[in-house]
Amino acid sequence: KNEVEQSPQNLTAQEGEFITINCSYSVGISALHWLQQHPGGGIVSLFMLSSGKKKHGRLIATINIQEKHSSLHITASHPRDSAVYICAVGGSQGNLIFGKGTKLSVKP
Amino acid sequence: GAGVSQSPSNKVTEKGKDVELRCDPISGHTALYWYRQSLGQGLEFLIYFQGNSAPDKSGLPSDRFSAERTGGSVSTLTIQRTQQEDSAVYLCASSLSLNQPQHFGDGTRLSIL
């Protein structure tokens, strides 16, 4: 069993839809990261959180430490949100253990 | 401002050759990480540096892999006697200190013929 599990693996949505990507982990962590990887390959850090909830624009990330679960929400989705979203958990030294990613495609 | 810079962006080499990949982190970032993304696979951690020190080398796939960092800045990842399974995108990231948000470079795409 992978230490970081994401679901769904693939997600297709219509523009404007509310999107949720889930992440569960089985190891102790110092923080959880949500990353975005565009088709060109570049990776951007969206959130780093260790408790509660963070919001940035149309993106919201939540984490439940007791349940070892995090969700990434995208409100009012747009085609430019199409990318691979990766959940990663940080160990005590900050090195990341990655989920396999969720490929999101938002259709106009 | 300048982000994390990696060079070369692409490298094609023959099996058995040595390759050296370079990472120039954001100025002032003390932590530096190397990751690998193989075709169709997820990202995997290789090694990290805090300053010039690499406390944990257990993520390196084999003893053909080594890394160093000098002056608390530039890092090089060296792969000796390359094998076809080494083909991947090698990504570098840096952060202000350990356990801070990481900033990723664009990666080096390594192809072993």
Side-chain angles (χ1 to χ4, degrees):
Chain A
K1 187 180 188 300
N2 293 329
E3 292 168 304
V4 182
E5 296 274 3
Q6 280 186 244
S7 64
Q9 191 174 345
N10 291 282
L11 180 57
T12 300
Q14 286 298 128
E15 183 173 357
E17 286 185 357
F18 180 84
I19 288 162
T20 296
I21 300 171
N22 294 299
C23 176
S24 296
Y25 55 93
S26 58
V27 294
I29 68 169
S30 59
L32 185 140
H33 301 245
W34 281 102
L35 310 170
Q36 180 191 55
Q37 185 170 31
H38 278 286
I43 294 177
V44 174
S45 177
L46 298 175
F47 295 103
M48 174 180 167
L49 66 167
S50 54
S51 65
K53 174 180 174 178
K54 287 190 175 181
K55 184 175 189 292
H56 184 247
R58 295 180 294 106
L59 302 178
I60 303 166
T62 64
I63 187 169
N64 183 320
I65 297 294
Q66 288 72 32
E67 297 290 326
K68 293 190 173 180
H69 182 270
S70 175
S71 293
L72 175 69
H73 305 286
I74 305 175
T75 62
S77 60
H78 190 276
R80 65 175 175 268
D81 297 326
S82 299
V84 176
Y85 292 83
I86 303 168
C87 171
V89 297
S92 60
Q93 304 304 317
N95 54 294
L96 299 180
I97 303 170
F98 299 88
K100 293 191 182 299
T102 295
K103 185 175 182 180
L104 171 65
S105 178
V106 181
K107 305 294 186 187
Chain B
V4 177
S5 178
Q6 290 188 247
S7 60
S9 54
N10 285 281
K11 177 74 176 177
V12 181
T13 193
E14 293 179 347
K15 176 182 170 181
K17 300 286 189 184
D18 297 352
V19 295
E20 192 172 277
L21 312 180
R22 176 185 168 108
C23 173
D24 208 334
I26 293 172
S27 178
H29 281 197
T30 63
L32 185 147
Y33 305 84
W34 282 99
Y35 301 99
R36 177 169 77 171
Q37 188 171 33
S38 303
L39 187 63
Q41 303 292 316
L43 285 146
E44 63 174 319
F45 164 76
L46 298 178
I47 191 169
Y48 81 94
F49 289 88
Q50 172 59 20
N52 293 333
S53 174
D56 180 6
K57 300 180 180 179
S58 63
L60 295 175
S62 76
D63 58 9
R64 297 185 294 103
F65 287 70
S66 63
E68 65 175 15
R69 189 180 185 194
T70 54
S73 182
V74 172
S75 175
T76 54
L77 177 69
T78 301
I79 309 173
Q80 296 179 307
R81 305 180 304 281
T82 52
Q83 303 294 312
Q84 287 188 331
E85 64 261 27
D86 299 333
S87 295
V89 176
Y90 290 81
L91 288 153
C92 175
S94 71
S95 60
L96 202 56
S97 62
L98 294 178
N99 290 310
Q100 294 295 315
Q102 296 183 20
H103 300 259
F104 286 79
D106 289 335
T108 293
R109 184 175 298 276
L110 177 64
S111 300
I112 310 298
L113 302 179

